[in-house]
Amino acid sequence: MLKGISLLLTPELLKVMMEMGHDDALVLADANFTAQSIAAGKPVIRLSGVPMLDAVQAVSSLLPLATDVAHPAAFMAVVGESDSYRSALQREVIALLAPALLPGQSVEPVERFAFYTRARAAYAIVLTGEKQPFGNFILRKGVIGENLRP
């Protein structure tokens, strides 16, 4: 065990987060997500039984968000709803990520099939125990350095 690191961050997940480079994407997916077929050989890390909000909080405690893009995070838009619609889970995750966003940045809604396309290009997928449909998010890794936010 290590001090200050969430127990939800497994050794496998910590390794993947360390291996990721600037602008690599990490998908945090709900329990219904088609992770194995989307990943196509990329790492799929299971956090069975872990709610999405807890998983995002644990990952974002160590993973810096990209600072050089308008949308360092994205979520799967609910089918049949407008871009402005947010489920309770989506609102909670967005609120959790908000302090890490720079002025002008936001969390982007992404249409379901476009989300799958982005997920295929991601570095890895974290499959949580979240049961809320459309409870899927993508975080883009930033950098840590002088004059940049941690």
Side-chain angles (χ1 to χ4, degrees), residues 2-23:
L2 300 171
K3 292 194 279 182
I5 296 178
S6 169
L7 296 177
L8 297 180
L9 299 175
T10 65
E12 182 183 19
L13 180 51
L14 287 169
K15 178 182 181 292
V16 163
M17 289 169 54
M18 286 292 296
E19 290 172 343
M20 291 172 63
H22 176 244
D23 213 31

Side-chain angles (χ1 to χ4, degrees), residues 16-26 63-72 102 105 121-123 139-145 148-149:
V16 163
M17 289 169 54
M18 286 292 296
E19 290 172 343
M20 291 172 63
H22 176 244
D23 213 31
D24 278 338
L26 183 67
L63 188 82
L65 291 179
T67 59
D68 59 341
V69 294
H71 307 291
L102 295 175
Q105 286 187 318
Y123 190 87
L139 305 180
R140 292 174 65 178
K141 186 176 182 181
V143 298
I144 295 175
L148 298 174
R149 77 162 189 259

Side-chain angles (χ1 to χ4, degrees), residues 124-138:
I125 297 174
V126 177
L127 192 60
T128 70
E130 181 59 55
K131 294 177 186 170
Q132 172 67 52
F134 301 96
N136 304 301
F137 299 85
I138 299 175

Side-chain angles (χ1 to χ4, degrees), residues 64-122:
L65 291 179
T67 59
D68 59 341
V69 294
H71 307 291
F75 64 93
M76 182 183 281
V78 177
V79 171
E81 296 292 344
S82 71
D83 278 351
S84 62
Y85 176 81
R86 309 285 188 268
S87 71
L89 173 64
Q90 291 166 342
R91 289 190 306 271
E92 289 175 329
V93 170
I94 291 166
L96 178 69
L97 295 174
L101 299 175
L102 295 175
Q105 286 187 318
S106 64
V107 179
E108 177 185 24
V110 177
E111 183 274 331
R112 178 182 169 204
F113 293 103
F115 189 96
Y116 291 146
T117 298
R118 288 190 192 185
R120 283 184 187 91

